[in-house]
Amino acid sequence: MLESQAVIGDTDMLQAMQQEALRLAGKALDDFEAVHSTEIARFIKKEFDRSYGPGWQCIVGTDFGSFVTHHSGCFIYFGIGNLAILLFNGGAIDAAPQGAADDAFV
């Protein structure tokens, strides 16, 4: 499984949610070619929306920068192979699974 090759760069997610993000990324990479980063991002985002509520954003690529505001406990940045994956919930406060917002950059 590809998720065993993941290297987490930064996160504030609970361990179980982190493992789900890695599992879904591994599944997406099994289902889609790595060059289809938009499809990988769409798959991970839709699964997190379904499991944890709306407002999730996912960015997948080989070279990008970011500075995002996200809900506490709802941010992970990790790499698998040559792909970087940024997943966070930045939706409306009332849609957040947990309270306050934080800033993060990668």
Side-chain angles (χ1 to χ4, degrees), residues 27-67:
K27 181 171 177 7
L29 287 167
D30 286 342
D31 293 350
F32 305 103
E33 293 182 33
V35 296
H36 296 143
S37 55
T38 302
E39 294 302 318
I40 294 167
R42 178 182 291 120
F43 174 80
I44 296 168
K45 181 240 187 308
K46 287 183 179 269
E47 289 297 315
F48 258 71
D49 279 346
R50 186 180 55 75
S51 296
Y52 300 105
W56 289 91
Q57 306 299 316
C58 187
I59 301 165
V60 176
T62 57
D63 185 30
F64 62 86
S66 70
F67 186 84

Side-chain angles (χ1 to χ4, degrees), residues 61-92:
T62 57
D63 185 30
F64 62 86
S66 70
F67 186 84
V68 300
T69 300
H70 63 90
H71 299 292
S72 289
C74 297
F75 175 89
I76 188 168
Y77 173 71
F78 61 98
I80 298 180
N82 67 337
L83 283 182
I85 299 173
L86 172 61
L87 176 66
F88 64 97
N89 189 311

Side-chain angles (χ1 to χ4, degrees), residues 4-37:
S4 65
Q5 299 173 13
V7 177
I8 296 175
D10 193 14
T11 187
D12 69 353
M13 286 181 172
L14 295 175
Q15 187 70 30
M17 195 181 281
Q18 290 177 40
Q19 291 305 311
E20 181 67 356
L22 300 181
R23 184 188 73 76
L24 289 170
K27 181 171 177 7
L29 287 167
D30 286 342
D31 293 350
F32 305 103
E33 293 182 33
V35 296
H36 296 143
S37 55

